[in-house]
Amino acid sequence: MMDVPSENGGLIVRGLTTTFDTSRGQAIAAADVDFDVAPGEVVGLVGESGSGKSVTLRSIMRLIREPGHVSGRVEWRGRDLVAMPAEELRKVRGGEIAMIFQEPMTALNPVLPIGMQIEENLVAHTTLNARERKARALELMNIVGIPAAERRLQEYPHQFSGGMRQRAMIAIALACSPKLLLADEPTTALDVTIQDQILKLLLDLRDRLSMSVVLVTHDLGVVAATCDRMAVMYAGRIVETGTVVDVFSKPRHPYTRGLLGSVPRSGASRSVLQSIEGTPPSLTNLPAGCAFHPRCKFATEHCLRERPPLEAVVASGERMVACFHHELVAAAEAII
Ligand SMILES: Nc1ncnc2c1ncn2[C@@H]1O[C@H](COP(=O)(O)OP(=O)(O)OP(=O)(O)O)[C@@H](O)[C@H]1O
Ligand SMILES: [Mg+2]
């Protein structure tokens, strides 16, 4: 028996590992991922392209198909989603837990009008009658800023522009007032005004419904403005976690330091993640020791030999980092 983490009423992820069998061997897309999201908490998940953010969210939702394999525990309100029978999972998915996908076109059903897709969700997860469902669908369209809602509800995804599709997907995800929202780059295709509106809406739902959110984004301004805590992923592993204030003010992992780069500390402006010198590692052939060592200015022989575990660096346990040299990194002068 694995030890059962104590219940926090929210999401507890332990040892989540997702691999894909590929022609070049086994790719480890997510490795030993541990994190918690308390009720009403917004946790940002950042990392460069291919670091495993989407795979992590899909694994939580149990949306990984062959040739993918998922192991570990995903505990939601005391129940293990990884082991949950499919029928029970269907009740949770789309109702209590909703996901906003990075690629709206692959997530929306191409042969169903948008209104029907909202309707399906409401039928499955609420007791609203037909009139109430219609009203709710219109309300959602307005909330996400889709004009001419009445007509738009009859239209199919291909009749929507990219930004409108993303809004439609957000409307579908929020239809049943989920308790946990997994949001994968939810506002990337949207202009700044609507982006602010959507993020404000998410925070409002968090306040009103204690909705927990995992927010994947490349925009550090969004992290600063929206998230309570953040987790940084590199090559499928979480390498640093902490409150947004702590991580921004004193990154302890060299990779986080690189990502944050010259972000204005106020966090007020929109700044995307910096790109880091060197190339991301191959997931089928990860470097020995710390996967980041080939790109790391702090790397020593120790880092080539051994993989640093993700460990608490301060007594509270809120701040965790996987780096043998985190003290040095934290003390280093701010990089330009
Ligand atoms: N079905 C699959 N088969 C094989 N490899 C996969 C599959 N799905 C994802 N991967 C691999 O898993 C790794 C992580 O992908 P993921 O989509 O999680 O990255 P990401 O962090 O979301 O990146 P981005 O910021 O570009 O969205 C990638 O190398 C990807 O190629
Ligand atoms: Mg992704």
Side-chain angles (χ1 to χ4, degrees), residues 20 22 29 47-56 67 102 185 218 283:
F20 293 98
T22 74
E48 67 195 335
S49 190
S51 57
K53 307 178 299 292
S54 298
V55 164
T56 298
Q102 191 173 7
E185 303 273 9
H218 277 88
L283 298 178

Side-chain angles (χ1 to χ4, degrees), residues 158-199:
H158 73 264
Q159 293 170 286
F160 281 56
S161 69
M164 285 296 161
R165 258 177 232 144
Q166 198 161 16
R167 291 176 210 213
M169 197 174 41
I170 294 169
I172 294 168
L174 296 178
C176 302
S177 308
K179 286 290 190 187
L180 172 64
L181 180 68
L182 306 173
D184 198 349
E185 303 273 9
T187 57
T188 331
L190 306 178
D191 60 49
V192 168
T193 320
I194 189 76
Q195 172 170 333
D196 284 348
Q197 226 166 298
I198 303 265
L199 292 172

Side-chain angles (χ1 to χ4, degrees), residues 211-327:
M211 179 174 76
S212 307
V213 183
V214 182
L215 180 67
V216 171
T217 176
H218 277 88
D219 190 330
L220 293 170
V222 167
V223 175
T226 317
C227 300
D228 304 303
R229 287 190 301 122
M230 63 192 284
V232 181
M233 280 191 96
Y234 185 76
R237 285 180 187 271
I238 291 185
V239 295
E240 180 157 16
T241 63
T243 64
V244 169
V245 173
D246 282 355
V247 175
F248 270 62
S249 60
K250 198 176 269 192
R252 283 175 175 268
H253 196 286
Y255 178 62
T256 314
R257 214 176 112 98
L259 285 182
L260 297 181
S262 53
V263 176
R265 291 294 179 233
S266 72
S269 70
R270 269 154 227 285
S271 26
V272 288
L273 299 180
Q274 302 287 302
S275 54
I276 295 181
E277 260 178 63
T279 43
S282 152
L283 298 178
T284 49
N285 189 18
L286 287 172
C290 174
F292 189 58
H293 85 248
R295 300 168 79 182
C296 183
K297 294 193 178 74
F298 294 85
T300 59
E301 194 266 335
H302 191 187
C303 312
L304 276 61
R305 232 183 331 110
E306 204 181 317
R307 185 173 54 231
L310 184 68
E311 282 178 337
V313 288
V314 285
S316 77
E318 275 261 15
R319 191 67 192 283
M320 300 187 86
V321 61
C323 176
F324 295 126
H325 305 302
H326 67 86
E327 295 288 1

